[in-house]
Amino acid sequence: MANEEDDPVVQEIDVYLAKSLAEKLYLFQYPVRPASMTYDDIPHLSAKIKPKQQKVELEMAIDTLNPNYCRSKGEQIALNVDGACADESSTYSSKLMDKQTFCSSQSTSNTARYAAALYRQGELHLTPLHGILQLRPSFSYLDKADAKHREREAANEAGDSSQDEAEEDVKQITVRFSRPESEQARQRRVQSYEFLQKKHAEEPWVHLHYYGLRDSRSEHERQYLLCQGSSGVENTELVKSPSEYLMMLMPPSPEEEKDKPVAPSNVLSMAQLRTLPLADQIKILMKNVKVMPFANLMSLLGPSIDSVAVLRGIQKVAMLVQGNWVVKSDILYPKDSSSPHSGVPAEVLCRGRDFVMWKFTQSRWVVRKEVAAVTKLCTEDVKDFLEHMAVVRINKGWEFILPYDGEFIKKHPDVVQRQHMLWSGIQAKLEKVYNLVKETLPKKPDGQSGPTGLVSGDQRVQVARSKAQQNHALLERELQRRKEQVRASTVLPGVRIKEEPVSEEGEEEEEQEAEDEEPMDTSLGGGLHSRLANGLPGGRVAGGDSFNGHPPPGCAGTPVARELRAFVEATFQRQFVLTLSELKRLFNLHLASLPPGHTLFSGISDRMLQDTVLAAGCKQILVPFPPQTAASPDEQKVFALWESGDMSDQHRQVLLEIFSKNYRVRRNMIQSRLTQECGEDLSKQEVDKVLKDCCVSYGGMWYLKGTVQS
């Protein structure tokens, strides 16, 4: 209080923001001159500007009659620059250095903190500066003098050679054709200093007219430094509430680093990623994820991105496999790189990985032994290829990691046709390199007539039918064995069969045995395959039975289920109410922050995600959406955390029951219902907290988060 009394407020000044010259006002900083001389006293001969570079050139006259001017030195400089003869192109037409050129350079790139102020009649008018330029003397005339000197020396050395002698001096000319420029070479050329200087030189100069301080045009332009609107419409930026002004002075601190997932150094955050060009965003995402549906890619890039541009960019870095996009091999194995396992060059690795991708375009299953036999690569390299895009299934082989995306195939037939043509070219190349035609064609049976290597349709049907019968018999025997195990465990509930842990070597042996067997042919036995999985009915598999003694992917004990459960619990502890659509979007963002090869990249279905949400203590709120709603099916599935362990659980449960019967509710109805259920001592702060946790307000009504349709 004592300090405030010692420093009283003397005057209050109204501040106005003028915008008439906001994008045109520059501040020029001239070299130091005597205080008695202003730059308005010096004649400005010419002025020109390059707006994109914010570069200015001024020509100002030199007072040659000043006693401090050295006339002999001025004549010597003009002679060195223009020579003895003066013409229209001469720099100094008066044969005397009578002018000086000033060139500008930017003193600062961020001018948002600077403004020009004009105080008039008790009001302060501010105009933001568009640029701040420092003007310094240019000595380009010295370069011109050096060029003249070199020309004179070259003429003296050449002598008085005649034109005929010059014609006799015939030189051989070598014509060279430039090779096609690669993308990397083009990037280096565009970023080079020589290219940037050339681009700057190509921008044309815009000539300006200089008006002195006392000129009528200057006085007219100076009026634009005053705020034109007296009603204060232009000054909304300066009208802030106390809370907004305090927020500007002390912005909130960024989120703590410990709350963010720790990503490896080669992974960007989503905020950093979205500052890059769209092509780089797609390339980085595909390089880290390796396999992704187009819908997931669009959700990661954001709703404002054009799908046509994304389709154009994704085809440069990925190939279409079963309706999903798989990153190209040359992106993972660039030129001049080699295998970390065997030292095989990148070209051989790309060819082997393309073979694996091509095999997945033909079938859902691939056998590693077959890939190794064709590509002649080591086991580690082949396993790396398969782990990029598939998961191993006991007694089956390697299955493609994502389900077939028929929706994308139907929606984009032109892209599918283009990708089919690319795969046809790749297939022809692989057949030539690996001799696939001779190895994959079936042998001709004895006594068969017709061209060598051709198999009739009836024979193909018979072979497929025999394979289906064999597989059916195997599945029936496996089913009987599983039923006997279940019956034995039911009769003797106290007896438990111990399962020996499977080591990595054991897994390799099981996988090898699975690959030695012929993979299941599902082309004709699709109905049987849909009903049985490894000899078990589909209902029992979904109910939690194991696959050959191992827990299914959705079992709570697997690492994938634990990671998914942790993500769901952490998400609902923060947001309480989420639609399935919003939960999937948050899950995709979470996947983008994870390091490559994480367990969650094994493929999470919508059903598995919903089951995990319900198992984490959440409930589905059956919100009665209006018949004319535009919400998608995923947006109509609303899940809420039923018990979080805090004091607001009861209030939140009452609120959720209200919205299970009403799509939108007024606040007074919520207030009365909470008071009726929780007592009269319910405070306004408690009601506001539960509304903030679960609801949003729109048009005077309250909706559950994610359900409002504007």
Side-chain angles (χ1 to χ4, degrees):
M1 294 298 294
N3 293 335
E4 293 181 0
E5 293 176 358
D6 295 340
D7 190 11
V9 176
V10 178
Q11 184 182 2
E12 292 186 359
I13 302 174
D14 293 333
V15 180
Y16 295 90
L17 182 63
K19 290 186 175 181
S20 300
L21 300 178
E23 300 295 328
K24 306 173 184 177
L25 189 61
Y26 289 85
L27 174 64
F28 289 174
Q29 297 176 343
Y30 287 88
V32 178
R33 290 274 179 164
S36 58
M37 180 184 298
T38 64
Y39 279 94
D40 193 56
D41 299 329
I42 304 174
H44 287 64
L45 303 178
S46 66
K48 54 186 180 180
I49 185 174
K50 289 186 175 182
K52 292 182 179 179
Q53 304 175 39
Q54 294 191 2
K55 184 177 180 181
V56 176
E57 262 194 21
L58 297 178
E59 280 191 359
M60 303 176 66
I62 298 178
D63 185 9
T64 57
L65 302 179
N66 192 293
N68 296 324
Y69 179 79
C70 181
R71 190 175 183 84
S72 61
K73 190 66 175 177
E75 292 175 350
Q76 182 65 37
I77 292 175
L79 180 63
N80 293 338
V81 173
D82 299 325
C85 57
D87 53 13
E88 295 180 355
S89 62
S90 299
T91 304
Y92 303 111
S93 57
S94 63
K95 297 185 178 182
L96 189 68
M97 185 181 177
D98 55 356
K99 59 184 178 181
Q100 188 175 13
T101 303
F102 290 85
C103 288
S104 69
S105 62
Q106 293 189 27
S107 61
T108 178
S109 58
N110 183 15
T111 59
R113 301 169 49 204
Y114 300 95
L118 184 63
Y119 182 77
R120 177 171 295 184
Q121 298 179 359
E123 297 176 349
L124 184 64
H125 298 260
L126 301 178
T127 302
L129 291 177
H130 188 60
I132 301 177
L133 305 177
Q134 291 183 348
L135 294 172
R136 299 175 181 176
S138 173
F139 302 98
S140 58
Y141 58 87
L142 297 179
D143 298 334
K144 191 173 182 180
D146 291 341
K148 290 278 187 182
H149 179 68
R150 285 193 295 270
E151 289 177 1
R152 287 193 295 267
E153 288 184 349
N156 294 334
E157 292 178 359
D160 298 327
S161 59
S162 63
Q163 184 177 359
D164 296 336
E165 293 176 352
E167 291 178 354
E168 293 176 0
D169 188 11
V170 180
K171 295 183 179 180
Q172 183 179 1
I173 299 176
T174 303
V175 180
R176 295 181 179 179
F177 297 94
S178 60
R179 294 179 297 179
E181 188 179 26
S182 64
E183 182 64 21
Q184 294 180 350
R186 191 189 71 82
Q187 291 290 344
R188 289 195 297 268
R189 180 175 60 82
V190 169
Q191 296 176 1
S192 64
Y193 176 77
E194 181 181 359
F195 182 83
L196 295 177
Q197 289 295 104
K198 183 180 178 181
K199 292 292 288 184
H200 290 170
E202 289 176 354
E203 184 181 357
W205 287 100
V206 179
H207 291 274
L208 307 175
H209 296 283
Y210 177 81
Y211 296 94
L213 181 64
R214 302 174 185 85
D215 193 277
S216 59
R217 178 64 183 270
S218 297
E219 181 62 29
H220 174 73
E221 293 292 331
R222 199 176 297 117
Q223 296 299 321
Y224 288 112
L225 294 175
L226 300 174
C227 182
Q228 303 299 317
S230 59
S231 61
V233 176
E234 293 188 2
N235 300 287
T236 55
E237 288 84 355
L238 299 181
V239 181
K240 301 291 183 183
S241 64
S243 59
E244 292 175 336
Y245 183 67
L246 184 62
M247 188 68 68
M248 293 172 61
L249 292 178
M250 295 184 297
S253 58
E255 189 179 6
E256 295 292 336
E257 290 294 330
K258 62 181 181 180
D259 295 336
K260 298 180 180 180
V262 179
S265 58
N266 63 332
V267 178
L268 298 175
S269 66
M270 292 304 297
Q272 293 173 321
L273 186 69
R274 290 181 177 175
T275 61
L276 301 176
L278 179 60
D280 293 340
Q281 294 185 43
I282 298 174
K283 183 177 180 180
I284 291 173
L285 286 173
M286 292 305 305
K287 189 174 181 180
N288 283 277
V289 181
K290 297 182 178 58
V291 184
M292 190 186 302
F294 186 74
N296 289 17
L297 179 63
M298 289 298 300
S299 64
L300 290 174
L301 294 175
S304 60
I305 303 299
D306 184 18
S307 61
V308 178
V310 178
L311 275 175
R312 193 181 302 116
I314 189 65
Q315 296 182 67
K316 297 179 181 179
V317 298
M319 297 291 292
L320 192 65
V321 179
Q322 300 187 26
N324 301 283
W325 292 98
V326 182
V327 65
K328 289 184 177 180
S329 301
D330 55 359
I331 302 295
L332 296 180
Y333 303 108
K335 192 177 180 182
D336 300 330
S337 63
S338 59
S339 168
H341 305 294
S342 59
V344 175
E347 181 181 359
V348 180
L349 293 176
C350 292
R351 192 162 56 231
R353 188 174 181 274
D354 288 345
F355 174 74
V356 175
M357 293 169 62
W358 172 73
K359 290 289 290 182
F360 277 119
T361 63
Q362 310 297 315
S363 173
R364 288 284 302 174
W365 302 90
V366 168
V367 180
R368 189 181 66 178
K369 184 179 179 181
E370 178 186 350
V371 175
V374 173
T375 61
K376 302 299 189 294
L377 293 173
C378 70
T379 305
E380 290 79 7
D381 288 334
V382 176
K383 194 171 182 179
D384 282 349
F385 300 157
L386 293 170
E387 287 178 346
H388 290 168
M389 63 193 82
V391 291
V392 64
R393 303 297 188 197
I394 304 301
N395 295 336
K396 287 189 177 182
W398 291 80
E399 183 186 11
F400 193 68
I401 194 170
L402 294 179
Y404 184 82
D405 193 351
E407 183 179 353
F408 179 85
I409 299 294
K410 295 178 182 178
K411 192 175 181 180
H412 303 282
D414 53 337
V415 177
V416 175
Q417 179 65 23
R418 192 178 303 114
Q419 289 291 310
H420 178 71
M421 295 173 62
L422 292 175
W423 276 121
S424 299
I426 294 175
Q427 179 181 353
K429 182 179 178 181
L430 293 174
E431 289 176 349
K432 183 178 180 181
V433 173
Y434 294 133
N435 297 323
L436 295 180
V437 176
K438 298 179 181 179
E439 293 181 6
T440 57
L441 282 177
K443 296 181 179 180
K444 176 182 176 182
D446 296 337
Q448 176 187 341
S449 61
T452 305
L454 294 180
V455 181
S456 65
D458 293 338
Q459 292 172 353
R460 290 180 180 271
V461 171
Q462 292 176 3
V463 172
R465 186 174 298 165
S466 62
K467 287 182 180 180
Q469 291 175 356
Q470 294 174 5
N471 292 331
H472 180 70
L474 292 174
L475 293 174
E476 287 293 340
R477 288 197 297 269
E478 180 66 19
L479 178 59
Q480 292 297 330
R481 186 179 66 83
R482 298 293 301 177
K483 287 181 177 180
E484 291 175 0
Q485 290 182 358
V486 173
R487 192 180 301 113
S489 61
T490 305
V491 175
L492 300 175
V495 179
R496 182 178 181 182
I497 300 175
K498 179 180 178 182
E499 293 182 2
E500 294 294 331
V502 182
S503 62
E504 294 182 359
E505 297 179 357
E507 290 180 355
E508 292 287 335
E509 293 175 358
E510 286 188 34
E511 182 189 342
Q512 191 67 29
E513 292 174 2
E515 293 171 352
D516 289 340
E517 297 179 3
E518 187 71 21
M520 183 184 298
D521 188 353
T522 58
S523 58
L524 295 177
L528 177 63
H529 183 266
S530 63
R531 294 191 300 268
L532 300 175
N534 272 8
L536 295 179
R540 286 183 56 193
V541 174
D545 287 339
S546 62
F547 288 80
N548 291 346
H550 298 279
C555 183
T558 61
V560 177
R562 289 196 297 268
E563 290 285 343
L564 185 61
R565 177 72 175 265
F567 162 76
V568 169
E569 290 178 348
T571 303
F572 275 93
Q573 284 290 343
R574 292 193 303 267
Q575 304 207 24
F576 295 100
V577 177
L578 286 171
T579 63
L580 180 59
S581 175
E582 179 66 12
L583 182 61
K584 289 164 64 176
R585 187 186 72 83
L586 295 176
F587 182 65
N588 287 332
L589 294 177
H590 178 64
L591 284 181
S593 67
L594 296 177
H598 197 272
T599 56
L600 285 181
F601 287 119
S602 59
I604 304 298
S605 64
D606 291 358
R607 178 63 180 274
M608 188 184 302
L609 187 61
Q610 295 179 64
D611 292 344
T612 306
V613 170
L614 297 176
C618 301
K619 288 188 177 183
Q620 184 174 359
I621 309 302
L622 302 178
V623 180
F625 283 83
Q628 67 277 12
T629 181
S632 64
D634 285 350
E635 291 174 343
Q636 295 186 30
K637 293 182 180 180
V638 185
F639 298 92
L641 183 62
W642 195 253
E643 292 183 358
S644 63
D646 59 7
M647 301 297 294
S648 302
D649 279 349
Q650 183 183 2
H651 307 157
R652 196 179 303 113
Q653 292 170 9
V654 173
L655 181 68
L656 295 175
E657 289 178 355
I658 296 175
F659 279 100
S660 65
K661 301 177 182 178
N662 301 275
Y663 172 63
R664 55 183 181 179
V665 187
R666 294 190 180 275
R667 181 188 173 92
N668 56 3
M669 178 181 176
I670 297 174
Q671 181 84 34
S672 61
R673 180 68 181 275
L674 286 173
T675 304
Q676 178 183 354
E677 296 290 340
C678 304
E680 296 290 340
D681 56 346
L682 190 66
S683 63
K684 181 179 180 298
Q685 289 77 11
E686 292 174 331
V687 177
D688 291 341
K689 181 182 183 304
V690 72
L691 287 175
K692 182 180 179 182
D693 289 343
C694 304
C695 303
V696 292
S697 177
Y698 184 79
M701 304 293 289
W702 288 88
Y703 302 78
L704 277 184
K705 289 182 178 179
T707 62
V708 59
Q709 301 294 321
S710 57

